[in-house]
């Protein structure tokens, strides 16, 4: 007897692929999005309770597509910046991949913060504003801004730590 996930995959994979293909640049990208979508569906504990599988699949696929677009925008911006750099400082393809992966990890870490913590950190890093000025803009105290910045820094330190040995 097939599992609920197998049934969903067999019944809805092609339909989802057709929908996603319109939003991606290639069939390969669409396949990747569909695969990632079903991986996310596999983590659902109460899959048997899903009454509208296509609604769930559509929502998850949209999230995956948006993440794909954000990664591509980030990579494109990075490559454009590299194009303006001096030739002597142009990194190797491996270094570029490593930097893009690091930027994606930073973006993911910042996305997990509350909106105010993320804004406070970005104001702190990208402007000459003091904690008090940032606090005024966010309607919080300077000490709260300090806590937000500390949260962001802790999240970024966690991202930068090497992972333990793989099993």
């Amino acid at each position: 007897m097939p599992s609920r996930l197998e049934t969903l995959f067999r019944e809805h994979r092609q339909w989802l692929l057709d929908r996603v293909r319109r939003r991606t640049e290639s069939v390969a990208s669409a396949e990747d999005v569909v695969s990632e979508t079903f991986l996310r569906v596999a983590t659902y504990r109460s899959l048997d309770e899903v009454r509208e599988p296509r609604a769930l699949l559509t929502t998850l696929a949209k999230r995956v597509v948006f993440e794909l677009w954000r990664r591509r925008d980030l990579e494109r911006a990075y490559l454009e910046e590299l194009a303006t750099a001096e030739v002597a400082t142009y990194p190797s393809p491996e270094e570029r991949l490593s930097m893009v992966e690091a930027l994606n990890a930073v973006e993911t870490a910042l996305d997990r913060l509350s909106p105010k913590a993320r804004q406070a950190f970005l104001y702190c890093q990208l402007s000459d504003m003091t904690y008090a000025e940032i606090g005024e803009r966010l309607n919080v105290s300077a000490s709260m801004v300090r806590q937000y910045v500390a949260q962001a820094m802790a999240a970024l330190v966690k991202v930068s730590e090497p992972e333990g040995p793989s099993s």
Side-chain angles (χ1 to χ4, degrees), residues 79-96:
L79 292 174
E80 287 171 3
E81 187 64 31
L82 281 180
T84 63
E86 294 179 24
V87 175
T89 62
Y90 199 74
S92 70
E94 293 82 12
E95 291 171 320
R96 285 186 300 198

Side-chain angles (χ1 to χ4, degrees), residues 116-117 119-121 123-124 129-151:
K116 283 192 177 183
Q119 289 174 326
F121 176 75
Y123 282 138
C124 181
M129 296 170 69
T130 65
Y131 284 176
E133 292 169 334
I134 295 169
E136 283 180 34
R137 183 164 281 184
L138 298 177
N139 292 325
V140 297
S141 67
S143 64
M144 193 70 227
V145 171
R146 190 173 293 108
Q147 289 177 27
Y148 286 151
V149 172
Q151 287 173 5

Side-chain angles (χ1 to χ4, degrees), residues 98-161:
S98 178
M99 286 184 235
V100 168
E101 288 173 348
L103 288 170
N104 283 330
V106 166
E107 178 187 29
T108 299
L110 293 178
D111 279 347
R112 290 183 180 145
L113 297 172
S114 70
K116 283 192 177 183
R118 183 173 44 253
Q119 289 174 326
F121 176 75
L122 291 173
Y123 282 138
C124 181
Q125 297 300 310
L126 303 175
S127 74
D128 292 330
M129 296 170 69
T130 65
Y131 284 176
E133 292 169 334
I134 295 169
E136 283 180 34
R137 183 164 281 184
L138 298 177
N139 292 325
V140 297
S141 67
S143 64
M144 193 70 227
V145 171
R146 190 173 293 108
Q147 289 177 27
Y148 286 151
V149 172
Q151 287 173 5
M153 294 301 280
L156 294 174
V157 166
K158 189 175 180 180
V159 165
S160 70
E161 292 175 347

Side-chain angles (χ1 to χ4, degrees), residues 38-109:
F38 277 101
L39 282 173
R40 291 181 185 191
V41 169
T43 65
Y44 273 63
R45 290 187 185 101
S46 55
L47 203 51
D48 292 328
E49 296 175 14
V50 173
R51 294 178 191 219
E52 296 292 335
R54 288 188 173 186
L56 173 66
L57 291 169
T58 300
T59 299
L60 292 175
K62 281 181 182 179
R63 290 177 185 164
V64 173
V65 167
F66 291 148
E67 289 168 13
L68 173 71
W69 289 345
R70 273 199 324 244
R71 276 193 310 273
R72 285 183 182 166
D73 289 346
L74 185 62
E75 185 175 357
R76 190 175 300 118
Y78 172 71
L79 292 174
E80 287 171 3
E81 187 64 31
L82 281 180
T84 63
E86 294 179 24
V87 175
T89 62
Y90 199 74
S92 70
E94 293 82 12
E95 291 171 320
R96 285 186 300 198
L97 176 62
S98 178
M99 286 184 235
V100 168
E101 288 173 348
L103 288 170
N104 283 330
V106 166
E107 178 187 29
T108 299

